[in-house]
Amino acid sequence: MRLEPDTPEGFAERLELHPRGVRRVLDALVAVDVAERDGSRYRPSAQLAALDRTQSGGIEVLSGMLNQTPALLRTGMPVVAMDGAPATREFFYAEVVEPFASTLGDAPSRLADQVPERSAILDIGAGAGIWSLAMAQKTVDAKVTALDFPRVLDVFRDFANRAGLSQRVETMAGNYHQLALPSGRFDRVVLANVLHLESEEMASALVRQAAQSLLAGGDLVIVDMVGGDSAEEQRGLALYSLHLALRTEHGKAHTLPLLQQWLTAAGLSKPVVIPLGSPPGMAAVVAMNASRPTATEAR
């Protein structure tokens, strides 16, 4: 969606609409603080421009999401159930993980700069692997083991190849609820945009399983929407929660206090929160299995 300032006649020509109708709609949008007028030209309001800048996919994706809400209002059910049976999850996520990765910009690289280097990384529900692969690029000997459905792992391997890391990745094909995770083998486990697909019971169980895969001194990195205190973070959380309701039956954004509770119950340290900024309210939550330092940290 193009948001450059223009006159009603300019918008009408560009969108093949009638100038009279466009002018009336633009004036109404100014009245409700969605647009601003500067002479004869109209532009997005500061609030709308902020939404376009900070929401994954911008206003175009947000508009598409809002267009689907009538069905949710009528039935309470999602448009698609991406948290359904394993075959359903595999089908949908094989299609969406690549376009979703493109909406996150440089957030994976920025996160990789802010966490300690690790050599053995397990990425549970890896998708395109953008978070774990960015971490591996910062450490010459790092290897990533990606766990996901077979068709999704095809996308992961393509991203690993693009990153020049195809010789430093392994894959585990299957459902993370059913596969036995290796115990005490990794110095980092990544759960990126996974927990919000699960109920509280299933999400907390997955955190416990992930913690058991850590070596002493390793860390668990959760990337997800956790909200925050600012109005912008609360708005981001509300929009993300609506998006989850449109595409999942049981998914929800789990709060930071709840994540902290699960991590402590799993025997990990008090987590460090690293805001990621886009969309507002998304953060990395990092907790350590602090018995002793890993070889990577001891360097």
Side-chain angles (χ1 to χ4, degrees), residues 54-269:
T54 60
Q55 295 301 309
S56 296
I59 290 297
E60 186 170 2
V61 170
L62 181 59
S63 298
M65 177 182 76
L66 295 176
N67 287 339
Q68 297 173 333
T69 55
L72 177 67
L73 290 168
R74 285 193 299 269
T75 68
M77 298 299 293
V79 178
V80 293
M82 297 176 71
D83 60 341
T88 302
R89 290 192 182 206
E90 181 174 13
F91 172 80
F92 281 118
Y93 278 94
E95 299 298 320
V96 304
V97 289
E98 181 166 2
F100 173 72
S102 69
T103 69
L104 294 170
D106 66 348
S109 179
R110 288 188 287 105
L111 175 59
D113 286 334
Q114 296 181 73
V115 293
E117 293 185 1
R118 300 298 192 208
S119 296
I121 303 170
L122 172 63
D123 193 343
I124 299 175
I130 54 174
W131 304 96
S132 57
L133 292 173
M135 295 169 188
Q137 285 183 311
K138 306 291 182 178
T139 307
V140 268
D141 60 347
K143 295 184 178 180
V144 175
T145 299
L147 190 166
D148 217 314
F149 296 111
R151 288 184 59 197
V152 180
L153 288 175
D154 290 340
V155 181
F156 169 81
R157 281 186 283 266
D158 181 52
F159 270 69
N161 185 56
R162 296 185 209 176
L165 297 172
S166 57
Q167 301 303 309
R168 291 201 272 145
V169 299
E170 297 178 349
T171 57
M172 296 175 62
N175 182 349
Y176 53 65
H177 288 307
Q178 298 172 349
L179 287 176
L181 301 182
S183 179
R185 177 180 157 189
F186 300 95
D187 54 14
R188 171 163 294 148
V189 177
V190 177
L191 284 168
N193 297 304
V194 167
L195 294 181
H196 62 236
L197 298 173
E198 310 295 343
S199 65
E200 290 187 11
E201 180 182 3
M202 299 296 280
S204 62
L206 190 54
V207 169
R208 288 195 303 272
Q209 292 172 329
Q212 291 169 5
S213 293
L214 285 172
L215 292 163
D219 56 30
L220 174 57
V221 179
I222 297 172
V223 178
D224 223 314
M225 176 62 71
V226 299
D229 296 329
S230 72
E232 192 174 44
E233 289 169 328
Q234 289 299 312
R235 182 168 61 242
L237 177 61
L239 291 172
Y240 199 83
S241 296
L242 174 58
H243 193 262
L244 282 174
L246 288 166
R247 62 186 174 93
T248 68
E249 189 172 354
H250 305 290
K252 62 177 295 186
H254 303 294
T255 64
L256 182 58
L258 199 54
L259 294 178
Q260 291 171 327
Q261 178 183 322
W262 296 342
L263 291 165
T264 301
L268 304 183
S269 65

